[in-house]
Amino acid sequence: MGRLIVVSNRVAPTQEGRPSAGGLAIGVLDALKETGGVWFGWSGEIVGEPSEPVIEQQGNVTYATVGLTRRDYDQYYRGFSNTTLWPTFHYRNDLSHFEREDYAGYLRVNETLARRLVTMIRPDDIIWVHDYHLLPFARCLRNLGVTNPIGFFLHIPFPVPEVLRTVPPHQELVHFMCDYDVVGFQTEADRQSFIDFIERGHHGSASEDGMLHAYDRLLKVAAYPIGIYPDAIAKAATQYTDRKAVRSLRDGLRGRKLIMSVDRLDYSKGLVERFQAFERLLQNGPGWHGRVSLVQIAPPTRSDVQTYQRIRQNLEGEAGRINGRFAQLDWTPIQYLNRKYERNLLMALFRTSQVGYVTPLRDGMNLVAKEYVASQDPSDPGVLVLSQFAGAAEQMPGALVVNPFDLSQMAEALERALSMPLAERQARHADMMTSLRENNLSVWRDTFLADLRNVATAASVTAKAVKQPIKLAHAKAA
Ligand code: GDG
């Protein structure tokens, strides 16, 4: 079996067990170790001049990272990726902003990254590209003569055609995606949106077996919902339960119920609405005053993007207002913590709480929802309140599913979760654990890679070589 080459915007920290090593990193690393391979991407550093990749070898895995210049970072990362694609793909085209120069930078960085990677690729490698930063990456590799199988997985939602069309170069972007051999989405709904765009635009058609004929190519398009390792998380949560930070949170609660939320500080996560629904719970149920607290952990991300600065200010304002309205000398309703915590500690905090409150306005999957359930004590589990707009809602049969735009419904769900009888909590938890085990992280990864190996063999026979210049209508040379 050939090696695996993983390409993602950021390469995960190379030391395992580091607090920031998330589920994706763990799952991808396992696969890399199995076959040996390369993890290639941005180092996270801004450099004065573009340079050759920095190579770090650990066992049979090579980490190859490159720096970005300030201009690359501004146009490719902060600009087109996070000011155009991220908001629009999360249905926030009101927050989306498009600049041709940024798009040109996005294409330029994809081309540069492809050129840096190409010398490392061996003939029998397979290549797995991740996420919205790298939609044109297969086209860039093909233009450099790479014929290896290339798969793509989108971690965020894929919007319906009407929304996608608000991104000026939408046609090119979809065409780029069809240069991959396998395109994976988190949910069936995302997959359907992609197919709808292709079919309604008469660019191709899908067949029953998940194959898509589009732009003279044959590719597999499917949903591969990302999972976690639930039993490993359960173990970590148990082991960390006696840590000082967890004990002091428990002591501080003095018997009060705890609602836990953990999200990157992002407008897609529905944090303001979540606080307001909690406020409504307190407003409608004075009996809860002094008896329940909400702990929101929200480490800041992308803080140099303006919309992220605004959400932070908004949220601070809302937390302050709600606390000012309801707090008592010995009770603060909302504890809003704007910092990052160690991963296993988070799992233990989940286990200490009675409700996991996960209400994004839109989310590709949302791993926190899955981690919350996996962290619970099966004999006395907490209840998951989950947005219908998280990809995870398709897979979490025991959650109380809510519409995050309906504050009253969310407040009622909180009330129901806080008061739910033990037997019902246990049954719901057991259902969800079954689903988490059946669709764990290895299943996600292995299914995707098996499809990539299979389809690529067939596709390489029928596919026309794609050799098209990347200078396109919406990108003006920057
Ligand atoms: C994207 C998609 C999709 C959070 N705070 C801390 C911390 N976390 C960890 C969580 C979880 C991860 O970060 C967040 O993952 P999510 O899935 O919830 O959300 P995104 O970051 O937006 O991820 C998403 C995902 O990709 C995977 O495909 O599910 O839809 O948007 O694992 O636990 N980890 C640590 N400290 C923190 O303070 N260590």
Side-chain angles (χ1 to χ4, degrees):
M1 197 159 47
R3 300 181 313 168
L4 172 65
I5 298 194
V6 173
V7 185
S8 57
N9 170 58
R10 284 294 300 275
V11 172
T14 53
Q15 286 154 287
E16 282 175 79
R18 281 253 306 253
S20 52
L24 168 65
I26 296 162
V28 168
L29 258 180
D30 278 355
L32 278 167
K33 283 181 191 161
E34 238 165 62
T35 54
V38 179
W39 193 335
F40 175 79
W42 177 35
S43 60
E45 276 162 24
I46 304 289
V47 293
E49 287 294 320
S51 57
E52 287 308 304
V54 172
I55 306 289
E56 195 186 325
Q57 190 69 35
Q58 280 185 28
N60 58 354
V61 180
T62 306
Y63 296 88
T65 53
V66 293
L68 291 180
T69 64
R70 167 61 53 189
R71 175 167 166 260
D72 286 348
Y73 172 84
D74 283 344
Q75 296 181 336
Y76 149 83
Y77 181 77
R78 197 162 65 90
F80 190 68
S81 294
N82 285 315
T83 308
T84 308
L85 289 182
W86 176 275
T88 305
F89 279 36
H90 286 86
Y91 290 78
R92 292 302 303 269
N93 38 341
D94 59 317
L95 300 179
S96 182
H97 179 77
F98 173 76
E99 289 293 343
R100 281 183 179 183
E101 290 75 11
D102 288 349
Y103 183 51
Y106 176 81
L107 298 179
R108 184 185 65 245
V109 171
N110 270 268
E111 280 185 323
T112 313
L113 292 175
R115 270 201 304 276
R116 299 261 158 74
L117 175 66
V118 81
T119 54
M120 286 181 243
I121 301 172
R122 298 181 191 158
D124 59 348
D125 288 342
I126 60 167
I127 302 165
W128 189 8
V129 180
H130 291 262
D131 233 357
Y132 59 102
H133 316 85
L134 298 167
L135 298 173
F137 202 74
R139 170 75 61 90
C140 300
L141 286 177
R142 301 280 185 230
N143 284 348
L144 294 165
V146 173
T147 53
N148 301 55
I150 314 177
F152 176 80
F153 183 76
L154 184 69
H155 289 261
I156 65 174
F158 191 85
V160 294
E162 275 315 303
V163 173
L164 181 66
R165 275 198 267 273
T166 62
V167 178
H170 57 274
Q171 292 282 4
E172 289 100 325
L173 293 172
V174 172
H175 195 162
F176 288 148
M177 290 174 78
C178 293
D179 288 337
Y180 287 94
D181 296 304
V182 176
V183 173
F185 296 99
Q186 297 274 24
T187 66
E188 275 305 319
D190 297 323
R191 189 195 71 90
Q192 194 55 52
S193 298
F194 182 73
I195 300 289
D196 283 351
F197 185 92
I198 298 275
E199 292 188 337
R200 284 200 227 156
H202 307 288
H203 305 299
S205 61
S207 47
E208 293 283 300
D209 58 0
M211 298 306 290
L212 175 72
H213 287 263
Y215 304 102
D216 282 337
R217 294 200 79 248
L218 179 67
L219 57 147
K220 167 112 186 170
V221 179
Y224 304 88
I226 193 168
I228 56 170
Y229 289 125
D231 295 303
I233 287 177
K235 195 169 155 204
T238 316
Q239 283 170 348
Y240 272 63
T241 309
D242 272 331
R243 286 289 168 112
K244 193 164 159 254
V246 183
R247 275 206 318 267
S248 56
L249 174 71
R250 248 197 321 264
D251 294 348
L253 286 168
R254 283 190 253 140
R256 287 182 194 115
K257 297 210 172 194
L258 173 62
I259 301 173
M260 274 292 303
S261 294
V262 174
D263 311 79
R264 283 185 309 96
L265 183 47
D266 193 297
Y267 50 81
S268 65
K269 302 291 182 184
L271 299 171
V272 171
E273 293 77 2
R274 184 180 306 170
F275 282 9
Q276 290 172 347
F278 179 67
E279 176 185 24
R280 199 161 291 193
L281 171 82
L282 299 178
Q283 181 185 300
N284 297 346
W288 288 113
H289 296 192
R291 289 188 48 231
V292 62
S293 288
L294 166 61
V295 170
Q296 170 73 62
I297 293 177
T301 48
R302 303 173 198 163
S303 35
D304 54 352
V305 178
Q306 213 184 24
T307 39
Y308 287 76
Q309 293 156 7
R310 274 206 297 271
I311 176 74
R312 185 171 178 167
Q313 282 164 2
N314 253 350
L315 210 53
E316 279 163 7
E318 281 305 273
R321 185 183 63 74
I322 297 165
N323 280 339
R325 180 172 174 199
F326 293 105
Q328 299 166 0
L329 284 175
D330 61 349
W331 172 59
T332 308
I334 300 178
Q335 289 185 46
Y336 171 49
L337 306 162
N338 226 208
R339 51 162 286 201
K340 206 169 165 63
Y341 285 83
E342 192 183 342
R343 181 174 167 77
N344 289 343
L345 191 65
L346 289 181
M347 304 305 132
L349 294 175
F350 287 156
R351 193 178 173 92
T352 300
S353 69
Q354 285 68 44
V355 180
Y357 192 23
V358 186
T359 55
L361 303 180
R362 224 19 104 157
D363 218 326
M365 177 54 63
N366 195 300
L367 293 179
V368 171
K370 295 187 170 188
E371 291 162 352
Y372 180 80
V373 171
S375 301
Q376 297 308 301
D377 174 356
S379 66
D380 185 18
V383 179
L384 177 64
V385 173
L386 178 62
S387 162
Q388 70 186 84
F389 300 115
E394 277 188 10
Q395 299 189 316
M396 307 295 274
L400 296 183
V401 174
V402 294
N403 182 336
F405 298 96
D406 185 342
L407 301 186
S408 297
Q409 190 201 32
M410 279 203 284
E412 284 159 15
L414 285 177
E415 167 92 44
R416 189 171 161 208
L418 288 163
S419 324
M420 191 179 283
L422 177 63
E424 184 178 351
R425 284 189 279 127
Q426 286 173 331
R428 286 172 177 271
H429 176 256
D431 273 358
M432 290 192 279
M433 282 303 274
T434 305
S435 162
L436 290 178
R437 289 191 179 110
E438 283 171 2
N439 302 291
N440 73 11
L441 191 59
S442 321
V443 170
W444 167 73
R445 180 194 71 209
D446 294 345
T447 317
F448 186 94
L449 291 177
D451 281 353
L452 181 57
R453 288 196 168 95
N454 289 340
V455 167
T457 321
S460 63
V461 180
T462 49
K464 275 195 194 170
V466 180
K467 266 221 171 232
Q468 293 180 33
I470 200 169
K471 299 281 178 284
L472 292 156
H474 291 278
K476 168 172 108 181

